[in-house]
Amino acid sequence: MNGRFLLVAAIIAEVVGTLALRASVDHSAWIAVVVVGYIAAFTLLGLTLRAGMSISVVYGIWGACGTVLVAFLGMVVFHESLSGTALVGISVIVAGVVLIETGTGHSKPAKPEDVAV
């Protein structure tokens, strides 16, 4: 399966889980969605790595996209606010991921048997 598709699905699952975590503050029934969201996110991350994407790129994109989406959706859904400083921080996160993505060679990751423990 396509690694980028799996990564997008992992990001969506993580964002859903995190938003449900915030919603569980008001209604404990959302805890089930939190658990399912995070299990799905980490499973999809593992599948993304298995598809051949490097961990630095996968984790950077997953973390940054999740942070940005949760911050903006928190504003929309939960009426939270973002300061100018927070917006600068989000911009720095996005710039960092772009730098990681453009600075990473897209070589195949090492096979598990090639990694020294």
Side-chain angles (χ1 to χ4, degrees):
M1 187 171 276
N2 185 330
R4 291 181 188 270
F5 171 78
L6 291 167
L7 180 56
V8 168
I11 292 166
I12 292 169
E14 189 263 338
V15 168
V16 167
T18 303
L19 292 174
L21 184 62
R22 169 56 182 87
S24 73
V25 170
D26 300 322
H27 304 286
S28 61
W30 285 98
I31 297 279
V33 178
V34 173
V35 171
V36 171
Y38 283 128
I39 288 172
F42 284 105
T43 301
L44 289 161
L45 277 177
L47 293 172
T48 302
L49 294 173
R50 195 172 273 190
M53 293 182 72
S54 81
I55 194 164
S56 62
V57 171
V58 168
Y59 190 73
I61 292 171
W62 179 71
C65 289
T67 300
V68 171
L69 287 169
V70 167
F72 286 116
L73 289 172
M75 286 178 16
V76 172
V77 176
F78 300 109
H79 309 289
E80 296 177 347
S81 62
L82 287 176
S83 67
T85 305
L87 293 171
V88 169
I90 289 171
S91 300
V92 170
I93 290 169
V94 171
V97 169
V98 169
L99 290 173
I100 289 170
E101 176 66 27
T102 58
T104 302
H106 293 283
S107 61
K108 280 280 200 188
K111 296 176 186 170
E113 60 269 9
D114 295 339
V115 177
V117 179

